[in-house]
Amino acid sequence: MTPAAATILVVDDEHLIRWSLEQQLRREGFTVLLAETGGEAIQKAQAENPDLILLDIRLPDADGLEILERLRAGDAEALVIMVTAHGGVESAVRAMKLGAHDYIIKPFDVEELKLTVRKALETKALRRDVARFQAELGHGSSLGDIVGDSRVIRDLKLLIQRIAQSDATTVLLEGESGTGKDLVARVIHFQSARARAPFLAVNCAALPDHLLESELFGHEKGAFTDAKALKKGLFEQADGGTVYLDEIGDMKLDLQAKLLRLIEEKSFRRVGGVRDLQVDVRIIAATNRDLTKAMEAGEFRKDLYYRLKVFPIHLDPLRERPEDILPLVRHFLHRFSGEMRREIRDLHPEAQACLTKYTWPGNVRELRNVLERAMILASGEILHVEHLPPEIGAAQVERPLPPATPAHAAGMTLPAEGVSLEEVERDLVRQALEATEGNQVRAARLLGISRDALRNRMKKFGLGEVGQKGG
Ligand SMILES: Nc1ncnc2c1ncn2[C@@H]1O[C@H](COP(=O)(O)OP(=O)(O)OP(=O)(O)O)[C@@H](O)[C@H]1O
Ligand SMILES: [Mg+2]
């Protein structure tokens, strides 16, 4: 919000001071609200959610400090500037300790007051920038954060650049869970001219309908029983920026109509409101459901669908672009090495084969989680198959066995004098363990049995801890 659009609440019991402050601040372009008592101040702060409060330290019904404490305890985000009489510096200092932003001493110079107010509002805007900047650092938000060598990913990046540059286009992201929809939405926002305004996300499936409506559009005070204070919705808070609507397919029809109006006319009403309000936000919607089906079932509005579909981006599942797997693996190894302060240099070729062969139903998220877990399990510098979950290690089983395989069982003939099956078995288990230097996972694979089955046999044959590795 630019300082000029800010709302300021003036709390003072002296009529003349309220009047003069109102004149001065209005002239600066601020919206000014007035309160005469502490009680009124609390009530207006809740109802109107001002950006700044000028609070007299001496009020008829309460101590200004007490009001300050109550304001800070509530969820008001307003900055408070205390107004104190000459000689009241001590209480001003106490006020600062209680969370006041600044103080001014009566009688004050009007220019000085305006300067203090402007500085405070700038600080507030700056804090929001910092918070956003930190959020941006923490999560991927530049094109470079989208990893992959496939044609699909390269095209995707070009498309994102184009969308980011075109100002207000609505975007629809479609793709299975874990394919990178959140990531792409963030990159679009932070690469666009809107990057300095907020990026706010909401999951439409996570809230009951009426809560979702007031979360998105806000509500007036008293709009419903729990609406004790005015609340600005996400669209208002994100003015100039982007709102990311995750799982849009779960939004109910009446809310869809309200959203369509917001997209087409840029205007909306808070719940319980009678005024039309204007906002400028880009909507990025995401779904892992097929919206055309929802549309056929009458659960999704056609007009909204076509409006969102102006710029569709489909994110392919990872199994359809296996060439992205290894670049992603290296990306996450590098990232987690940094985060865990560990140096995992590489992957064993076998582990690599398992990872590329697996079908990744949970897509990139699953890959990330698997690698994170593997890095916690691994003690050395290399990730091995045994650090991967069994279902992924098993992706390798059908691969041709390595040359070190002992005589193929099918090629053995039973000697005429017979043989001790146990002896043969024991010998094969021993050979498998030798060939794999005691690596149980690989030995089990050479024998075509599970690792548990191998362990049972090792125990049975007393082949215990011989050169055991990878336990
Ligand atoms: N191409 C990619 N490069 C780097 N990281 C990626 C890529 N795609 C996805 N990721 C990472 O994978 C994880 C899951 O991605 P994201 O949360 O964006 O998926 P999603 O499509 O929103 O899933 P869901 O539908 O379950 O919400 C995130 O940590 C994200 O950063
Ligand atoms: Mg998501």
Side-chain angles (χ1 to χ4, degrees), residues 104-138:
I104 45 177
I105 295 174
K106 279 199 265 192
F108 43 75
D109 172 62
V110 174
E111 288 311 315
E112 201 183 310
L113 170 85
K114 286 183 196 163
L115 189 69
T116 309
V117 164
R118 238 177 282 133
K119 262 178 26 201
L121 290 170
E122 272 165 26
T123 309
K124 201 175 175 206
L126 212 62
R127 271 190 206 153
R128 285 203 332 172
D129 279 355
V130 170
R132 206 169 309 130
F133 184 62
Q134 279 168 344
E136 186 180 342
L137 281 181

Side-chain angles (χ1 to χ4, degrees), residues 3 49 117 231 239-240 244 259 292 326-327 343 394 425 446 449:
N49 202 353
V117 164
K231 182 182 143 146
D239 199 8
Y244 175 52
L259 175 62
T292 51
L326 287 181
E343 186 59 48
E425 203 182 341
L446 287 178
I449 57 178

Side-chain angles (χ1 to χ4, degrees), residues 62-239:
D63 181 0
L65 291 178
E66 200 187 306
I67 301 297
L68 172 66
E69 276 192 289
R70 280 174 62 192
L71 287 169
R72 306 288 312 169
D75 51 11
E77 297 153 33
L79 291 180
V80 180
I81 296 180
M82 301 304 290
V83 182
T84 174
H86 187 65
V89 179
E90 223 169 87
S91 37
V93 171
R94 264 177 56 217
M96 300 288 281
K97 284 191 182 143
L98 287 174
H101 176 74
D102 205 344
Y103 65 92
I104 45 177
I105 295 174
K106 279 199 265 192
F108 43 75
D109 172 62
V110 174
E111 288 311 315
E112 201 183 310
L113 170 85
K114 286 183 196 163
L115 189 69
T116 309
V117 164
R118 238 177 282 133
K119 262 178 26 201
L121 290 170
E122 272 165 26
T123 309
K124 201 175 175 206
L126 212 62
R127 271 190 206 153
R128 285 203 332 172
D129 279 355
V130 170
R132 206 169 309 130
F133 184 62
Q134 279 168 344
E136 186 180 342
L137 281 181
H139 309 283
S141 47
S142 71
L143 273 179
D145 292 310
I146 301 180
V147 176
D149 283 347
S150 63
R151 170 100 240 164
V152 183
I153 291 288
R154 274 182 281 146
D155 290 349
L156 173 70
K157 289 188 181 181
L158 287 176
L159 189 60
I160 289 176
Q161 265 172 317
R162 272 177 42 211
I163 294 175
Q165 281 156 19
S166 72
D167 183 49
T169 340
T170 301
V171 181
L172 178 63
L173 299 172
E174 295 169 300
E176 287 179 14
S177 185
T179 47
K181 297 185 292 295
D182 289 26
L183 175 64
V184 168
R186 270 201 309 270
V187 175
I188 292 175
H189 171 77
F190 286 107
Q191 293 312 301
S192 75
R194 298 174 172 269
R196 279 176 57 87
F199 172 83
L200 298 177
V202 70
N203 185 328
C204 302
L207 292 172
D209 304 337
H210 68 286
L211 284 186
L212 180 61
E213 179 170 9
S214 78
E215 181 75 13
L216 290 175
F217 296 96
H219 59 241
E220 301 290 341
K221 186 184 176 195
F224 44 88
T225 326
D226 287 335
K228 298 220 161 51
L230 179 150
K231 182 182 143 146
K232 289 184 182 166
L234 287 189
F235 291 125
E236 250 176 289
Q237 293 175 39
D239 199 8

Side-chain angles (χ1 to χ4, degrees), residues 17-83:
I17 294 204
R18 285 200 308 275
W19 181 82
S20 113
L21 284 175
E22 185 181 16
Q23 301 302 313
Q24 299 291 343
L25 294 171
R26 280 237 168 100
R27 216 167 290 155
E28 295 292 295
F30 298 118
T31 303
V32 183
L33 308 166
L34 302 172
E36 214 177 313
T37 62
E40 206 185 335
I42 298 277
Q43 182 251 326
K44 287 219 165 135
Q46 275 184 353
E48 311 277 349
N49 202 353
D51 300 287
L52 185 77
I53 303 176
L54 289 173
L55 178 61
D56 189 4
I57 222 161
R58 268 189 33 225
L59 292 165
D61 63 331
D63 181 0
L65 291 178
E66 200 187 306
I67 301 297
L68 172 66
E69 276 192 289
R70 280 174 62 192
L71 287 169
R72 306 288 312 169
D75 51 11
E77 297 153 33
L79 291 180
V80 180
I81 296 180
M82 301 304 290
V83 182

